[in-house]
Structures are given as C-alpha cells and as structure tokens.
Amino acid sequence: VFFPASQNKHRSEMAEEFKLQQQMLEQMKQLDALHKKMKAIERVNQKCQYKGPSLKVRIAVSDQKFISSTKVLCNDCNGKNLFIRQILGINDDEDDGESDNNDELKQNDQPKQPGQFDPSSVIELFFDRNPKFFPVILDHLRGYTMALRLHAMNVTELEWLLDDAVFYRLGKFVDLLQETMHKRFDVRYCSPLIELSCDGTVATRKAVNASINHGCAVHGVLKSGKRYVEFQMMSQGDRYIRFGVTEAENYSFAPYPGSGIQCKGCSYYAADGTCYRAGNNEAWGAALSYGDKCGVLVEINDENNTATIAWYINGKLVKQPEDLKEYMDVSKGVIFLANMYSASDMVAIVQSPSVHI
C-alpha cells in the first residue's frame, strides 16, 4: 500500500509525539515518587527528635550492661539511630522513605512527648547482639575521634563492627568504617603466594614460586561513585609491581590487570611507568622506586554510562583520565589491587593518602 509523503510525515510526527508523552509520564511518576520519599524523610526527621529531659539510659546488649544518657544517644549529630527510635517508641520498620507503607501515620505510632518522660526515671533498652564492640559504638556516639582506634583493628574486627553500625543505624559511622576498610587488603581476594600483615595494610610476595605474577585486591567492590586507593612501594629490587583495577565478578589474582581476556582492566607498571590494558602497553609516566606512592582513582556515574581511571604518582596526576569502559565491564564491579612478581616484593596501602577525593 502506498501512502503519500504528507501522510507518512503525519504518522511520524504522531509517533514522536506519543513517545514524548510517554517520557513525560515517566518523569512525572519519578517526580511523584521523589516527592513522597522527601515527605517520608521529613516526617521521620520530625519524629526522631528527643525533646524530653536528660535521662540515664541503661542498655543491655545480650548479657552485658552499659550506661549512657539521652544527651548522647539522642544527639542530633548521631542521626536517626536505633537508640532514639527505641526511646521515642518509633517502629524499627519506619525508615527514611524507602518503604511504601509510610504514607500515613498510625494513631498509636506517635513518638513520645516530653511530658511522658519522668525526670527521675531510667530508660531501659535491650538488644540481642554480641556486646564485644559495643564500647566502640558508645565512644563514637560520645564524640571520640575514632581514626586511630579503627586503624588498630584488623579486617575481621572492622567487618564485625560494621555489621553492628548498620544494625544500630549509625550512618556516619558506617561511612567511616567503609572508608577504613577500603584501605585494607582483602584476604578473600589475595593469592596464597602473598602474605598479609595482621591489620591487612601490607602485602608481601612469598618466595614460593617466585617470578610469577600474583595479586591481592583491596577490600570493597566499586559499583558506582568515586574511589581513590593509594599504594606505596615498600621494597627495593626489580620493581616488577603493578597497581590497577579489574572486574570483580571475573576476578583473577593472576596474571595482572590489562594482560588480556584472562584479567581485564588496567594497571600501572612500577618498573618503567607503562600502562597495561587490553594486552598492550603504552608509555605513561615515571618509573617508581622505594618509597614512591601510586594512587588509582576510578569514577563511575550512577547509570554506568561513563567510567574513568587515572593514576597519581606521589600526589601528582599522570596524564588525563582514561575511559575505563574500553578495557573492562564496569557493571561487573571494579576491584583495586596490587600485583607482584618477585620474592619479597612489598606494597602498603597508604592510610592517609596525599590526594584528597
């Protein structure tokens, strides 16, 4: 059937108009969902405000007892944590707007008012959790600086503490713990030919099966956002060490990132400053020596449409960021690692990076 050009043009315009209408409807739905979420967040913020007298709080964690106060547990800087929810009688399942059941408040779900607290009373709370790291939780709530204490913990202890921080809804502490863990090697992603220090900050190549590339990954998989990991050369020698990233879902500690299909990604070679990716290499920057630092910066947008990688040597950017999507599938997660070749090669993760991201 033959249709005149004007009729075909009209059909095309109608199809385009319909497509635009569908896009507008989808945007309106998204805006409506965002508006509901913001209202829910505002409601929870209003509810999670303690306006009563300063009271002693006796906290039972499993079979151990701890003493604190509403001044500490209900402090605004500690956020909408589980303690203030328990004290005010707010249901644990009322979150910050993620639930679809938060549109209407139940009459019996109103927070306690100042007049409902007896100034001479002691509030009792109970949590069926392991109490081992609860003193650390309390010190964080009391405002103590936690950096040195967390630095002294190993990865197992940090994971344990992170689980507790998530349970007690301590958002800022969760962020701090995750940032700390992202500066530790992960034994689960470490070659058996590499030995880790007790705190997981230093990796050393064993003498067994020397002259073979083996790697050890840093804790945490990056799906989106920005992460910077800085490594430091802790040994002298031939410096056959590489710093880079590879796919988390297809992780392999050998041979090295950028070597080809077996280990996709990119890596910076300390011996001569070349960049390895897709089985090839290119002159990139300076060779590294004992004490030098190599930082790896990866940025991935939320939709995974763009992803870049850049290297920093002793705090200075080496060339402009590269398109990481050309060399690996970032949707499979990005994992940072150091790869070593020779016996006694040693690499540390810098705990106070020279580049602040």
Side-chain angles (χ1 to χ4, degrees), residues 36-146:
K36 288 182 178 180
K37 183 174 182 177
M38 292 177 65
K39 287 181 63 178
I41 292 174
E42 182 181 359
R43 183 184 64 248
V44 174
N45 285 338
Q46 292 175 350
K47 292 178 66 178
C48 288
Q49 292 182 0
Y50 179 79
K51 300 178 181 179
S54 180
L55 300 176
K56 181 184 291 185
V57 181
R58 186 179 294 117
I59 309 168
V61 182
S62 187
D63 59 347
Q64 292 192 25
K65 303 292 192 299
F66 301 88
I67 298 296
S68 188
S69 67
T70 53
K71 183 177 180 180
V72 169
L73 301 178
C74 301
N75 193 313
D76 289 343
C77 66
N78 290 326
K80 302 177 288 294
N81 59 64
L82 189 58
F83 304 106
I84 189 172
R85 291 168 181 265
Q86 293 273 335
I87 291 170
L88 295 176
I90 299 173
N91 289 338
D92 294 345
D93 58 358
E94 181 159 349
D95 55 21
D96 296 345
E98 297 295 337
S99 173
D100 294 330
N101 300 320
N102 286 332
D103 291 337
E104 298 295 335
L105 284 177
K106 298 178 181 179
Q107 293 299 319
N108 60 353
D109 190 30
Q110 298 293 336
K112 293 181 180 179
Q113 301 302 314
Q116 296 177 261
F117 293 97
D118 182 355
S120 62
S121 65
V122 175
I123 297 175
E124 303 274 355
L125 299 179
F126 172 77
F127 300 101
D128 189 10
R129 301 283 293 183
N130 191 308
K132 181 176 182 179
F133 292 109
F134 195 75
V136 182
I137 296 286
L138 277 182
D139 282 349
H140 163 73
L141 293 170
R142 289 164 176 157
Y144 285 93
T145 301
M146 305 303 297

Side-chain angles (χ1 to χ4, degrees), residues 271-322:
D272 59 10
T274 55
C275 175
Y276 281 77
R277 62 259 208 263
N280 298 310
N281 65 83
E282 177 184 350
W284 205 256
L288 304 183
S289 300
Y290 169 75
D292 283 339
K293 299 175 182 179
C294 179
V296 185
L297 173 65
V298 173
E299 296 185 63
I300 308 173
N301 73 341
D302 292 338
E303 295 77 21
N304 280 185
N305 293 331
T306 61
T308 60
I309 182 170
W311 281 274
Y312 290 76
I313 303 303
N314 296 323
K316 295 183 179 180
L317 177 65
V318 182
K319 292 192 175 183
Q320 291 304 307
E322 277 271 279

Side-chain angles (χ1 to χ4, degrees), residues 9 149 191 196 230 272-274 276 321 338:
K9 182 179 179 181
R149 181 177 294 193
S191 165
L196 298 182
E230 193 169 88
D272 59 10
T274 55
Y276 281 77

Side-chain angles (χ1 to χ4, degrees), residues 52-271:
S54 180
L55 300 176
K56 181 184 291 185
V57 181
R58 186 179 294 117
I59 309 168
V61 182
S62 187
D63 59 347
Q64 292 192 25
K65 303 292 192 299
F66 301 88
I67 298 296
S68 188
S69 67
T70 53
K71 183 177 180 180
V72 169
L73 301 178
C74 301
N75 193 313
D76 289 343
C77 66
N78 290 326
K80 302 177 288 294
N81 59 64
L82 189 58
F83 304 106
I84 189 172
R85 291 168 181 265
Q86 293 273 335
I87 291 170
L88 295 176
I90 299 173
N91 289 338
D92 294 345
D93 58 358
E94 181 159 349
D95 55 21
D96 296 345
E98 297 295 337
S99 173
D100 294 330
N101 300 320
N102 286 332
D103 291 337
E104 298 295 335
L105 284 177
K106 298 178 181 179
Q107 293 299 319
N108 60 353
D109 190 30
Q110 298 293 336
K112 293 181 180 179
Q113 301 302 314
Q116 296 177 261
F117 293 97
D118 182 355
S120 62
S121 65
V122 175
I123 297 175
E124 303 274 355
L125 299 179
F126 172 77
F127 300 101
D128 189 10
R129 301 283 293 183
N130 191 308
K132 181 176 182 179
F133 292 109
F134 195 75
V136 182
I137 296 286
L138 277 182
D139 282 349
H140 163 73
L141 293 170
R142 289 164 176 157
Y144 285 93
T145 301
M146 305 303 297
L148 289 178
R149 181 177 294 193
L150 297 183
H151 178 69
M153 292 182 169
N154 59 41
V155 173
T156 301
E157 292 171 332
L158 289 170
E159 282 191 326
W160 193 334
L161 185 56
L162 176 61
D163 287 342
D164 278 345
V166 171
F167 174 80
Y168 293 118
R169 301 193 180 199
L170 304 174
K172 292 182 180 179
F173 200 33
V174 168
D175 293 340
L176 178 60
L177 286 165
Q178 289 179 334
E179 181 182 350
T180 303
M181 293 177 69
H182 292 158
K183 297 175 183 175
R184 307 296 177 94
F185 287 108
D186 191 338
V187 65
R188 295 167 295 189
Y189 292 93
C190 190
S191 165
L193 301 185
I194 293 178
E195 183 178 1
L196 298 182
S197 61
C198 293
D199 62 2
T201 61
V202 180
T204 305
R205 180 69 163 83
K206 296 180 181 179
V208 181
N209 291 332
S211 302
I212 300 177
N213 289 100
H214 279 262
C216 189
V218 180
H219 200 287
V221 176
L222 180 65
K223 294 282 189 178
S224 65
K226 181 187 299 186
R227 185 174 302 168
Y228 178 77
V229 179
E230 193 169 88
F231 301 93
Q232 186 168 21
M233 303 275 290
M234 302 295 289
S235 59
Q236 295 177 327
D238 50 29
R239 299 162 294 152
Y240 296 160
I241 301 173
R242 291 173 172 84
F243 306 103
V245 296
T246 189
E247 295 174 356
E249 290 185 16
N250 298 318
Y251 175 72
S252 173
F253 51 69
Y256 54 85
S259 60
I261 297 176
Q262 185 179 355
C263 193
K264 295 181 179 180
C266 304
S267 61
Y268 188 98
Y269 191 31

